[in-house]
């Protein structure tokens, strides 16, 4: 049997765990849930299937992802609204739709499976491809432009901060030297240069030595941490009383940001020693995960992309004035 709808290329990470975390908030008919990272639409499809009374608002910055997901979710009709936007624009998206509060928000951060699988996007260091790495190829600097134009100091900074790369300065020096000979265009050359810049003893452990450099470039090209730093408080602000937010992070920098915002909302801010804590100082978030949850060994065996995931869930337990 043929179909125009593409077969899903992957199993969404921690799918049922996400659905279980959202379920109490989506029980009432008319509940609105935001999928902040639509991708191929796996989580969105599960939400619409498992919660037949829910309405979905899904955003993605990648026009190709929106097209594929639009076909996948077409059968749900007007229960699904798909918007071309970055996830720090969610408050504006909701305002445009006339939605004040939502009952659920889901973030599945990092690169989508489609972006990793499409060789010509340049996200994967395992295959030679143009050094693009933009999630939205209609705007912004590509990874090649970053490599060919940034100063030594800026390159070293992003490699150290975003890639947590110990040899950031050395790699930046090699990049500057090599781009004088020929500008960077493809990933294979960069992979080789990074490998040669790192001491042999270090190369023997920790997987592909270019992994950290590629992560740093991707975060820089897409402004991922700056966007996330706006997106989490923006999403929390629109969460209704009893609403739940689920965030899956794939590297420590993202998870640290999410943790900070969740803990801030779950902390009593009253000065110590008060006999009664005034309402405005009481926590307004409840943390529903102990630390960050990891994928099970079984899931990682089935889906290697689940290996680095860190999942956190919080519920809004009090309205805040402001």
């Amino acid at each position: 049997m043929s179909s125009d709808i593409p077969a899903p290329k992957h199993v969404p990470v921690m799918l049922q765990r996400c659905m279980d975390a959202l379920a109490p908030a989506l029980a009432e008919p008319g509940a609105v849930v935001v999928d902040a990272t639509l991708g191929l639409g796996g989580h969105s499809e599960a939400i619409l299937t498992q919660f037949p009374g829910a309405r979905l608002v899904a955003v993605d910055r990648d026009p190709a992802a929106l097209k594929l997901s639009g076909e996948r979710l077409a059968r749900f009709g007007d229960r699904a609204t798909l918007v071309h936007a970055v996830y720090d624009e969610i408050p504006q998206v909701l305002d445009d739709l006339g939605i004040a509060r939502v009952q659920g928000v889901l973030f599945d951060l990092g690169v989508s499976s489609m972006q990793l699988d499409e060789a010509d996007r340049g996200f994967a260091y395992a295959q030679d491809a143009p050094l693009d790495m933009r999630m939205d190829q209609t705007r912004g600097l590509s990874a090649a432009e970053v490599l060919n134009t940034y100063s030594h100091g800026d390159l070293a900074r992003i490699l150290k901060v975003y890639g947590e790369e110990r040899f950031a300065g050395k790699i930046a020096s090699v990049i500057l030297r090599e781009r004088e000979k020929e500008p960077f265009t493809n990933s294979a050359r960069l992979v080789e240069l990074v490998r040669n810049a790192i001491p042999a003893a270090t190369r023997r452990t920790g997987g592909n030595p270019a992994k950290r450099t590629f992560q740093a470039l991707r975060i820089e090209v897409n402004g991922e941490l700056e966007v996330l730093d706006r997106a989490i408080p923006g999403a929390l602000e629109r969460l209704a009383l009893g609403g739940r937010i689920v965030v899956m992070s794939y590297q420590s920098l993202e998870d640290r940001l999410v943790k900070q915002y969740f803990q801030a909302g779950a902390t009593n801010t009253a000065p110590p020693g008060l006999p009664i804590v005034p309402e405005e100082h009481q926590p307004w978030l409840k943390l529903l995960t102990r630390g960050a949850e990891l994928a099970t060994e079984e899931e990682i065996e089935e889906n290697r992309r689940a290996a680095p995931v860190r999942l956190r869930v919080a519920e809004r337990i009090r309205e805040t004035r402001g």
Side-chain angles (χ1 to χ4, degrees), residues 161-232:
V161 176
Y162 297 161
E164 300 179 285
E165 173 57 75
R166 277 193 296 155
F167 304 101
K170 191 174 180 187
I171 292 169
S173 295
V174 171
I175 289 168
L176 258 68
R177 187 183 73 225
E178 291 299 319
R179 79 187 189 192
E180 289 302 311
K181 301 175 188 174
E182 187 186 340
F184 283 92
T185 56
N186 276 47
S187 56
R189 180 176 169 220
L190 179 62
V191 170
E192 187 64 22
L193 290 175
V194 171
R195 182 181 286 116
N196 292 336
I198 289 174
T202 307
R203 290 203 301 265
R204 285 195 282 271
T205 58
N208 193 313
K211 178 171 66 176
R212 292 178 294 276
T213 294
F214 272 65
Q215 173 179 300
L217 284 170
R218 193 199 81 217
I219 290 172
E220 173 68 13
V221 164
N222 296 291
E224 289 176 43
L225 290 175
E226 294 96 327
V227 169
L228 186 62
D229 201 13
R230 295 187 293 269
I232 296 297

Side-chain angles (χ1 to χ4, degrees), residues 133-299:
M133 297 195 195
R134 289 172 297 170
M135 292 177 181
D136 180 351
Q137 291 182 301
T138 66
R139 63 178 85 170
L141 291 177
S142 69
E145 289 171 298
V146 169
L147 289 168
N148 293 327
T149 62
Y150 275 31
S151 68
H152 180 277
D154 283 341
L155 281 173
R157 174 184 56 79
I158 67 169
L159 292 174
K160 184 176 181 182
V161 176
Y162 297 161
E164 300 179 285
E165 173 57 75
R166 277 193 296 155
F167 304 101
K170 191 174 180 187
I171 292 169
S173 295
V174 171
I175 289 168
L176 258 68
R177 187 183 73 225
E178 291 299 319
R179 79 187 189 192
E180 289 302 311
K181 301 175 188 174
E182 187 186 340
F184 283 92
T185 56
N186 276 47
S187 56
R189 180 176 169 220
L190 179 62
V191 170
E192 187 64 22
L193 290 175
V194 171
R195 182 181 286 116
N196 292 336
I198 289 174
T202 307
R203 290 203 301 265
R204 285 195 282 271
T205 58
N208 193 313
K211 178 171 66 176
R212 292 178 294 276
T213 294
F214 272 65
Q215 173 179 300
L217 284 170
R218 193 199 81 217
I219 290 172
E220 173 68 13
V221 164
N222 296 291
E224 289 176 43
L225 290 175
E226 294 96 327
V227 169
L228 186 62
D229 201 13
R230 295 187 293 269
I232 296 297
L236 286 170
E237 199 177 279
R238 304 309 282 263
L239 209 55
L241 197 60
R244 292 187 170 197
I245 181 170
V246 179
V247 184
M248 287 183 285
S249 307
Y250 293 82
Q251 37 100 345
S252 59
L253 300 168
E254 291 173 338
D255 185 52
R256 204 174 302 147
L257 253 181
V258 175
K259 177 184 176 182
Q260 286 167 358
Y261 278 114
F262 279 19
Q263 286 189 334
T267 299
N268 172 351
T269 59
L274 290 184
I276 296 172
V277 177
E279 188 186 347
E280 63 268 23
H281 289 293
Q282 290 174 10
W284 56 276
L285 279 183
K286 180 182 180 183
L287 305 184
L288 301 178
T289 43
R290 287 176 63 86
E293 280 186 25
L294 311 179
T296 62
E297 284 180 22
E298 292 77 19
E299 175 163 12

Side-chain angles (χ1 to χ4, degrees), residues 23-42:
L26 304 186
E28 292 296 314
V32 178
V33 59
V34 174
D35 185 344
T37 46
L38 175 62
L40 283 171

Side-chain angles (χ1 to χ4, degrees), residues 22-35 44 47-58 78-81 94 99-105 238-244:
L22 290 168
L26 304 186
E28 292 296 314
V32 178
V33 59
V34 174
D35 185 344
S44 280
I47 288 166
L48 291 163
T49 303
Q50 294 189 33
F51 307 107
R55 176 185 175 188
L56 172 84
V57 176
D78 59 8
R79 288 182 57 212
T81 303
L94 293 175
I99 298 169
R101 292 297 187 93
V102 300
Q103 282 65 44
V105 183
R238 304 309 282 263
L239 209 55
L241 197 60
R244 292 187 170 197

